[in-house]
Amino acid sequence: MNLKFIVFTLVILCLGSFSYTQEFHVSTKGDDKNPGTLKKPFRTISRAAQVAQPGTTVTVHKGIYRERVNPPRGGDSDKNRIIYQAAIGEEVLIKGSEVINNWERFKGSVWKATIPKAFFGDYNPYKDLVHGDWFIDNGRIHHTGEVYLNGQSLFEVTLIEQVMNPTSQPITDLKAQSLYTWFTESDSVNTYIYANFHSVNPNKELVEINVRKACFYPEKTGVNYITVRGFRMAQAATQWAPPTAEQIGLIGTNWSKGWVIENNVISDSKCSGISLGKDRASGQNLWSLDPSIDGATHYNKLIDKVLGPPYNWSKENIGSHLVRNNIIFNCEQAGIVGSMGCAFSLIENNHIYDIWTKRQFRGAEIAGIKLHGAIDAVIRDNRINNSLKGIWLDWMTQGTRITGNLIYDIYLEDLFVEVNHGPFTVDNNLLLSNSVGILDGSGGGAYVHNLVNGKIVIVQQDRNTPYHKPHSTVVLGRAITKNADNRYYNNWFTSVDRMVNEQMPNGWWIDRGSYGLGIYRGYSPMYVDGNIYFRDAEPFPEESNQLKVLDLNPRIRLEERGNEVYLYVNLDSSIFSLKTQLVDTELLGRAKVPEMWFENQDGSPLVIDRDYFGNKRNKDYPMAGPFEPLDTELKEIKIWPKTNIK
């Protein structure tokens, strides 16, 4: 071979290698005409995204960036990804909003802003209505836009008279805040926003409005292997995200593979914070477009469609995301949402709170975490509080593990498993709300070493839903769930004083279900052993090895101290008398419908030999409940952030 050709080839390879390890810098003092170096940075993250190639790191320096980052490409492997990161120790904000400071007094404390059409470009959130499958508008319109006063969102109303004479909303937590109202109307030239700022002059404060659909979201699908870390992202005009439509979050993956979303603070999304969801091309609000067919049939047809080209829903192409160490709040639909694009993902150590606090609309997609098709997903060590629902796993929860989560102050259910056939494992969770701990609309679940403070309610289903080849998206068949084939081993069940949370939209659970496992009387097969029942919690009728503690009220309560959460519990030595067994794949067996073993996501045997904190369990007689070891004299347990109980 020609020596010159070999040298030339080596030079090209070296240059290529150099480009793949390049770092671009972005600064509010930069210029997009710059080369993107530390000394001559770009001005926008979007400019860096245009030139970033696999292996590139984009480092963003302190400041506010009002833009929607639309990455045109990602990495080509897990080891050769594109990384977007906030500079270490610097606060970087990406906002989907713009500042409005041209307010004119309209009347009294009501001000008016006139915004020309050109301001919004090709998307005007004040003409775009929140809508979609399973969305409930409560008999009124809702725009994807919002108005913020010093970072706090105002409440949209449908008549200007409600801006002039506001009244507090009846079911929201934010009654005082709900008196700050806004109304919008548009013509062919301008958009007009009227807002009641009460005693505040908006031109002397920070007033922002949503203008972008998202903060970080690719327009294209298949933009793989991207890392987004260390940012503060807020204020996006996100649309309702049902499983039958494109799911656009404030940050989202859009039918891609291998994203890492970590160490971010994400807030103030009109609907959802993080989306790991479906694309647009495969169908958009299918049920709304054709209500002659029921929603479940539409979704079944959609699943069959995306299994083939060009969508190719499989482990090789879609999912496998890592979402960890994020703080997510002030979202009116979900902290994390996903439809099929969430499969094979790990969601861990996130704090999700204040979800659906304004409560101006409703719908069947509202939860701290709401996932469809979470095949082989792991949801662990998350803290979820102050939400309509905690974790809601809907359809195709197979090979999934929900472990070590802290869920409390939930209005309806801590955990809702709907139309799944299993196997899925729920272990070492603290389900501490006073309403419903588990809403069971599935079969094939294993509930192990949990503390369940609320009721268990069974909701029967009549929908044929898929089950899959183990560790795969391939559909083997469809069946109706029977609310049986469940395993309950080594849990604590308590009962609380009967109460109705005044903040709840309704008290539907009060006369339904039961504390403990008595609700499963007559369901078969069931595999139940080693559970402790306090007070009025009812044992499973056929459970021979169980402990009923009638005369001890565990008096469970929580206390928040800043970012820390403490559990107070009253116990006695009777809890040590119960002989239990270590729970593993051999004991759990196979879920009946898919004929699949309860096992780890990689197919290896599952052994639940660690407690909520990660402490090693006694292999012969593990303690029932989530903690081991446990001293009955211990009245206070720090449960967040997690530390070893020893």
Side-chain angles (χ1 to χ4, degrees), residues 2 163 190:
N2 187 292
V163 180
N190 296 312

Side-chain angles (χ1 to χ4, degrees), residues 343-358:
F344 316 107
S345 294
L346 171 59
I347 299 172
E348 66 174 347
N349 202 43
N350 302 284
H351 183 195
I352 303 170
Y353 66 99
D354 289 356
I355 305 300
W356 194 69
T357 56
K358 295 174 77 172

